[in-house]
Every structure is written in structure tokens, then in C-alpha cells.
Amino acid sequence: MTLENTLSIIKPDATRRNLTGAINAKFEEQGLRIIAQKRLQLTRTQAEKFYEVHKERPFYGELVDFMISGPVVAQVLSGENAVLKNREIMGETNPANAADGTIRKEFAESIEANSVHGSDSLENAVNEINYFFSGIEIVG
Ligand code: ADP
Ligand code: MG
């Protein structure tokens, strides 16, 4: 058994539609624990830095605009194989390809406004958690 932590972000399309609780229920029903959580209005600089790995991709500018278009909820999710598990709960990036029951299938508006972010590796999870949270804010 490998207990992991991963970073989740509930994106502006979802906070706008008051879906924070519905999305959190998906995590909790499937065995992930929310061990840190805060609602934030990201600045442009903060969003640009968070998505720096996508800087060269054609959608980068629009993605940053979207991520600062309203509040987000940053979270640390904990559980067995939490990184991969969260990716499964989220579903594919494009909601058209997402499996039934996933967050993106049920809630996403588009490939961009797809309701949630989740770390894609354990190494990125550590870096992304440290970007948003200090140790004292994470209560496992
Ligand atoms: P994921 O969030 O599934 O890990 P990526 O890391 O590839 O996906 O992309 C980061 C985010 O960029 C996506 O969640 C989505 O909001 C946005 N995005 C990805 N691909 C596109 C695209 N083709 N057009 C517009 N936005 C996109
Ligand atoms: Mg990604």
C-alpha cells in the first residue's frame, strides 16, 4: 500500500456553477481524503507560473485567462495511489472522451473548462502541493 498526496484544483467553470461539494463528494465516495483545501482568486502571474510547463502550447494564453476568470479551490487529496486514482476519478482531459461517472464526463463544459486539475505524477504532485500549501495547512 502506497499512501500518496496529490494536488487537485477545482477550476473556475465549476466554482461558478456551485459544484465544489458535488466534486468533493466524488473524491470522498471513491476513497480520497481532502486533507487541505482553500478557495483562491489566482493572479495572472500565479496562473502563468503554475501552468509554465504548457507555455509553448497554443492554448496557454487562453488557459491562463480561464484560470483567473473566477475563484478556484486548491486541495490536497490523500489516499492509496492518490495520484493515479485522482486521474481516474477526473477522467480524460477532453470530456468527450471521459468515461461515465468521472468528474469531467459529468461536469466539464469543454476541453478547456474541464472542471478539475490533478497532478500527473508523484514528483509533480510534491511540487504543485508546495506551490499552494505550507506544511502547517496540510492536516492528514
Ligand atoms: P490534464 O488537465 O488532463 O492533465 P493537460 O495537462 O494536457 O491536461 O492540459 C492542462 C489543461 O489545459 C487542461 O486541463 C485544459 O484545461 C487545458 N487544455 C488542454 N488541452 C487543451 C486544448 N486542446 N484546448 C484548450 N485547452 C486545453
Ligand atoms: Mg496536466
Side-chain angles (χ1 to χ4, degrees):
M1 156 162 169
T2 325
L3 191 66
E4 294 175 353
N5 290 348
T6 190
L7 185 86
S8 166
I9 303 176
I10 300 178
K11 294 183 178 182
D13 67 286
T15 61
R16 192 175 292 126
R17 287 175 290 148
N18 209 22
L19 292 171
T20 298
I23 289 171
N24 281 349
K26 292 276 192 194
F27 298 137
E28 293 185 341
E29 280 161 9
Q30 288 169 86
L32 294 179
R33 305 180 73 85
I34 301 161
I35 63 167
Q37 178 166 261
K38 58 186 167 190
R39 185 170 164 103
L40 301 162
Q41 173 63 56
L42 295 179
T43 65
R44 182 170 296 278
T45 305
Q46 287 167 340
E48 284 173 351
K49 186 152 181 258
F50 181 73
Y51 276 122
E52 204 157 36
V53 290
H54 296 309
K55 203 169 45 205
E56 306 306 327
R57 293 173 81 175
F59 56 80
Y60 177 69
E62 272 185 26
L63 175 60
V64 169
D65 287 343
F66 164 61
M67 289 299 288
I68 65 173
S69 68
V72 299
V73 178
Q75 317 172 293
V76 180
L77 306 179
S78 175
E80 198 172 336
N81 299 313
V83 173
L84 185 61
K85 178 113 190 211
N86 183 38
R87 297 292 308 194
E88 288 170 1
I89 295 169
M90 291 164 62
E92 293 281 322
T93 307
N94 186 345
N97 302 330
D100 286 350
T102 61
I103 291 169
R104 284 167 164 172
K105 174 75 172 195
E106 285 194 20
F107 301 125
E109 294 181 321
S110 67
I111 190 169
E112 176 182 83
N114 59 5
S115 302
V116 279
H117 166 85
S119 307
D120 62 5
S121 69
L122 197 51
E123 185 189 358
N124 285 339
V126 170
N127 292 334
E128 291 178 1
I129 288 168
N130 288 336
Y131 187 69
F132 282 104
F133 293 95
S134 66
I136 202 169
E137 294 176 305
I138 301 168
V139 186

